[in-house]
Amino acid sequence: MSVLHAAATVALAKIAVFQPGETSLMTAVALALLVGAAALWSAVDAWLRLRDAGRTWFIAALVTGPVAGVLSVLGRSVFVDQTGLSELGPALTGGAAFTALLVLLPAGLGLVVGGRLAGQRDDEEEHAEPGQEDTGSVAAGRSRGEPGSGRRATARPRPRPQPRAPRVGPSR
């Protein structure tokens, strides 16, 4: 994520120097790509049910801010306008905080969406009728938890609700 954010910053700086009229559109496109990348990546992590995905994305956001700031100052000094060390301070304070939020907020949204998608996938597999499965399909292998079917072999099936006994006595 740090390299992606630094590359976007350097590209926007280069556009601002050589084509000043195009900055507003390109800034919106770059922000949309950065938000989309973080949201999609974290949604996939949640959908795959990776352990401690929230903590991983929190740490990634904290690390991405300062590292992207340093990389963007280096990139602008090499590729754009020979930026000096005087730009390092603002890049490590305000720029790093903005970058961290630009990773953390979409990642949180992606974790929520990916977790819900994983829950829906589990519910669909849980409610499948045993007689209606196609034994040759990938979905059938996934519902049985076969190796190579996309489901971890260590995953335990969710318990199914037991039928309730009929009530005895007067109804309310």
Side-chain angles (χ1 to χ4, degrees):
M1 292 303 296
S2 298
V3 173
L4 186 63
H5 280 264
T9 303
V10 171
L12 288 174
K14 191 156 186 115
I15 289 171
V17 168
F18 294 110
Q19 296 175 344
E22 301 290 324
T23 57
S24 61
L25 174 66
M26 290 311 210
T27 301
V29 169
L31 284 174
L33 288 174
L34 293 172
V35 166
L40 181 65
W41 193 349
S42 64
V44 169
D45 284 352
W47 186 67
L48 294 174
R49 295 190 185 269
L50 295 180
R51 187 179 315 184
D52 292 336
R55 184 182 324 175
T56 301
W57 278 99
F58 180 74
I59 293 170
L62 292 179
V63 169
T64 295
V67 172
V70 170
L71 289 176
S72 66
V73 169
L74 285 172
R76 286 188 315 188
S77 69
V78 171
F79 296 115
V80 181
D81 58 0
Q82 298 171 351
T83 302
L85 286 177
S86 63
E87 291 294 317
L88 194 57
L92 290 176
T93 56
F98 178 71
T99 302
L101 284 175
L102 202 57
V103 172
L104 187 62
L105 294 178
L109 178 67
L111 289 172
V112 169
V113 171
R116 288 189 184 255
L117 290 175
Q120 286 178 355
R121 179 185 66 188
D122 290 345
D123 289 344
E124 288 173 0
E125 290 175 358
E126 189 174 290
H127 294 328
E129 294 286 330
Q132 295 177 351
E133 289 182 1
D134 180 17
T135 58
S137 72
V138 174
R142 226 182 318 198
S143 67
R144 290 190 306 267
E146 291 178 354
S149 63
R151 202 163 185 206
R152 295 182 197 148
T154 60
R156 291 180 286 168
R158 290 187 176 181
R160 296 182 186 251
Q162 299 295 319
R164 294 185 181 196
R167 284 194 172 165
V168 179
S171 62
R172 295 183 202 187

